[in-house]
């Protein structure tokens, strides 16, 4: 029997932890009004972002930078997720999931057009998902491992059958794996697009801006602005200066230490995220293949002091953040203990250890400075190699050529990275892999979360990495802007409902 799941909460615990985001505590009451004037449908929204995509081919390129702007704005899937992390229909007007978790039936909305004017049918969905299922080079291929078939009984219905239950499958459809592309399309997705979303790509000035235009033929409610211009400003100070100068209406990823400069002219919002500030250890490379060395490095870090230096965030001692299923407070696993760190390093024969931290340039110097200082206190010399993001992708992510690395892993429900021995962490634990497989196959979401929690504790006890903090995003929003998302905007920014008024 099929059960109706038009708007499915991820799990009850997740819904309980979702919060209504409030203004940053530093924002004065007499700050800018949150109620702008009459929306101007001809307005351009100027948004300041940090990380520019290397290309626009979301089918073959991973990373938050590309998903942040393309998902829901340019490309759409059958389902999407809200700021409250609930799953809801998008291209699908309705969907049903069988009680055994093996059959998914989707009904398409009427009148959906690709940006080239071609009508979308179920055949496009089948072709898109068959590509994901069969092509290992396509993003989401691993997430479709349990898909047995994708069929279209008629032009408006899609049926997906799994070979076994997959707790994360519907959630996976809210990401790149679930996006729908035109069957047989020859568009060069690296520089162009042919989606179904409320915006189209107008132009891309590489190294500077990407501009979207409102799709006036959009099948749903039209976007509230005529254009959106994303300005890529990798330097945090330069971003604040651009906001003060009026060059951007919204500045994302505001450096907490610079936020006070924007209080008079912007509303500052603080958003909770699934961002995991991850200090990656190369588990397959000596001496980091020694659990004593990894534990010593974690013990050497004063996490509370680091968060104070960063200016935003909360402590996180394991791989699952509070807004994801399977979260557990793992602060009992490790604490700040430099003396114990020294003992472990001596036991491992690594009293004069020298390591290199590879970090993308846009993350600044705050975290490296804290790590250098903390590690020095236990006899570890840390050299910092600050690289451009494409170099990080090549050296660290692809070639696994590093000692330590630091990046924000912003994707929700990405614990599977620690169950993948081929991922750049190089972490290989059969028990963790088994628990994760059980969690994926478990139909009951609460039982699945319990299995994830067990696996996460093992990962933390193995000191497979260190999670320096769970990130918070500070966004500066001009008084003329309404409806700008607050939560998890590091991973996606749905701009269809944003408006800009002509005057303050």
């Amino acid at each position: 029997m099929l059960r109706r799941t038009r708007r499915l909460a991820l799990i009850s615990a997740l819904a309980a932890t979702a919060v209504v985001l409030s203004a940053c505590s530093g924002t004065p009451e007499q700050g800018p009004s949150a109620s702008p004037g009459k929306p101007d449908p001809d307005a351009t929204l100027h948004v300041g972002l940090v990380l520019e995509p290397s290309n626009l081919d979301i089918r073959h390129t991973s990373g938050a930078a590309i998903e942040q702007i393309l998902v829901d704005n340019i490309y759409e899937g059958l389902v999407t997720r809200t700021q409250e992390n609930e799953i809801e229909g998008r291209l699908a007007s309705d969907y049903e999931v069988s009680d055994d978790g093996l059959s998914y039936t989707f009904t398409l909305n009427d009148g959906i057009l690709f940006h080239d004017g071609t009508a979308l049918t179920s055949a496009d969905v089948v072709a898109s998902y068959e590509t994901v299922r069969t092509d290992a080079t396509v993003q989401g291929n691993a997430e479709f491992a349990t898909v047995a078939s994708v069929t279209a009984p008629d032009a408006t219905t899609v049926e997906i059958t799994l070979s076994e239950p997959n707790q994360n499958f519907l959630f996976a459809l809210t990401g790149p794996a679930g996006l729908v592309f035109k069957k047989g399309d020859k568009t060069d997705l690296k520089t162009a697009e042919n989606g179904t979303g409320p915006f189209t790509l107008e132009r891309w000035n590489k190294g500077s801006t990407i501009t979207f235009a409102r799709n006036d033929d959009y099948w749903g409610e039209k976007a509230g602005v005529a254009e959106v211009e994303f300005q890529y400003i990798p330097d945090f100070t330069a971003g604040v200066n651009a906001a003060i100068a009026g060059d951007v209406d919204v500045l994302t990823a505001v450096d907490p230490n610079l936020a006070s400069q924007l209080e008079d002219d912007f509303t500052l919002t603080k958003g909770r995220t699934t961002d995991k500030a991850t200090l990656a250890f190369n588990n397959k490379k000596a001496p980091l293949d020694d659990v004593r060395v990894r534990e010593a490095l974690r013990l050497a870090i004063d996490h509370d002091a680091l968060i104070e230096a960063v200016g935003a965030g909360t402590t996180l001692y394991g791989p699952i953040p509070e807004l994801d299923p399977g979260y557990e407070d793992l602060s009992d696993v490790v604490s700040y203990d430099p003396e114990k760190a020294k003992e472990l390093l001596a036991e491992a024969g690594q009293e004069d250890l020298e390591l290199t931290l590879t970090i993308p340039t846009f993350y600044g110097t705050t975290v490296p400075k804290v790590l250098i200082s903390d590690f020095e206190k236990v006899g570890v010399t840390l050299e910092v190699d600050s690289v451009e993001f494409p170099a990080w992708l090549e050296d660290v992510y692809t070639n696994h050529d590093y000692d330590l690395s630091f990046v924000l892993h912003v994707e929700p429900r990405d614990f599977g990275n620690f169950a993948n021995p081929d991922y750049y962490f190089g972490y290989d634990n059969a028990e963790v892999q088994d628990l994760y497989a059980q969690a994926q196959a478990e139909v009951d979401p609460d039982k699945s979360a319990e299995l994830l929690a067990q696996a996460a504790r093992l990962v933390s006890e193995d000191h497979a990495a260190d999670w320096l903090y769970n990130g918070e995003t500070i966004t500066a929003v001009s008084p003329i802007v309404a409806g700008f998302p607050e939560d998890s905007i590091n991973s996606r920014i749905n701009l269809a409902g944003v408006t800009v008024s002509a005057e303050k």
Side-chain angles (χ1 to χ4, degrees), residues 187-210:
T187 300
D188 182 359
L189 297 183
K190 291 185 177 181
T191 57
E193 57 82 13
N194 187 22
T196 60
F199 294 97
T200 62
L201 174 67
E202 187 170 351
R203 59 183 173 273
W204 181 12
N205 299 320
K206 292 188 178 181
S208 178
T209 61
I210 294 177

Side-chain angles (χ1 to χ4, degrees), residues 30-341:
Q30 67 273 23
S33 170
S35 300
K38 183 179 179 180
D40 178 7
D42 297 322
T44 296
L45 173 69
H46 302 272
V47 181
L49 298 178
V50 175
L51 182 59
E52 182 179 13
S54 58
N55 68 75
L56 300 180
D57 185 0
I58 196 168
R59 301 214 81 181
H60 298 92
T61 306
S62 65
I66 193 168
E67 293 183 37
Q68 185 182 44
I69 62 170
L70 295 187
V71 176
D72 289 338
N73 294 317
I74 297 292
Y75 297 109
E76 299 172 300
L78 294 177
V79 292
T80 188
R81 58 180 182 261
T82 69
Q83 286 196 70
E84 293 74 32
N85 271 336
E86 292 181 339
I87 298 174
E88 66 178 9
R90 186 70 175 223
L91 295 177
S93 61
D94 197 12
Y95 57 90
E96 299 171 332
V97 183
S98 62
D99 289 334
D100 62 6
L102 295 178
S103 299
Y104 295 71
T105 303
F106 300 87
T107 302
L108 297 178
N109 276 296
D110 296 328
I112 301 173
L113 299 176
F114 287 100
H115 292 162
D116 67 359
T118 304
L120 179 145
T121 72
S122 56
D124 298 297
V125 181
V126 172
S128 297
Y129 289 2
E130 276 296 299
T131 298
V132 177
R133 187 178 74 87
T134 60
D135 188 343
T137 69
V138 171
Q139 292 296 308
N141 172 260
E143 297 170 303
F144 270 42
T146 58
V147 175
S149 66
V150 184
T151 59
D154 55 53
T156 60
T157 306
V158 175
E159 294 181 351
I160 301 176
T161 303
L162 306 186
S163 58
E164 60 187 50
N166 183 344
Q167 179 64 221
N168 266 2
F169 180 68
L170 198 59
F171 190 82
L173 292 183
T174 70
L179 298 178
V180 177
F181 300 83
K182 178 181 171 181
K183 181 179 179 180
D185 198 0
K186 301 302 182 182
T187 300
D188 182 359
L189 297 183
K190 291 185 177 181
T191 57
E193 57 82 13
N194 187 22
T196 60
F199 294 97
T200 62
L201 174 67
E202 187 170 351
R203 59 183 173 273
W204 181 12
N205 299 320
K206 292 188 178 181
S208 178
T209 61
I210 294 177
T211 304
F212 291 171
R214 179 173 51 226
N215 175 16
D216 289 324
D217 294 322
Y218 184 55
W219 60 272
E221 185 175 351
K222 307 299 186 293
V225 294
E227 285 186 332
V228 177
E229 181 185 79
F230 300 105
Q231 297 184 24
Y232 290 96
I233 314 171
D235 180 83
F236 292 118
T237 300
V240 169
N241 291 338
I244 293 173
D247 295 334
V248 296
D249 304 310
V250 177
L251 181 65
T252 66
V254 176
D255 186 326
N257 297 308
L258 303 175
S260 62
Q261 299 180 37
L262 299 170
E263 289 179 345
D264 292 340
D265 299 312
F266 292 82
T267 296
L268 300 180
T269 63
K270 182 179 287 187
R272 295 186 66 183
T273 76
T274 56
D275 300 1
K276 300 155 290 289
T278 305
L279 180 64
F281 302 151
N282 192 338
N283 283 252
K284 290 185 177 179
K285 181 179 181 181
L288 294 160
D289 57 350
D290 189 328
V291 66
R292 296 169 298 183
V293 174
R294 300 195 300 269
E295 182 180 3
L297 294 178
R298 297 187 72 192
L299 291 166
I301 300 169
D302 186 342
H303 291 82
D304 290 327
L306 187 147
I307 291 172
E308 184 177 355
V310 170
T314 57
T315 53
L316 182 66
Y317 296 98
I320 298 179
E322 189 175 357
L323 291 179
D324 276 352
Y327 169 77
E328 179 187 2
D329 181 358
L330 295 175
S331 56
D332 61 302
V333 174
V334 67
S335 59
Y336 179 50
D337 193 341
E339 292 306 313
K340 184 178 179 181

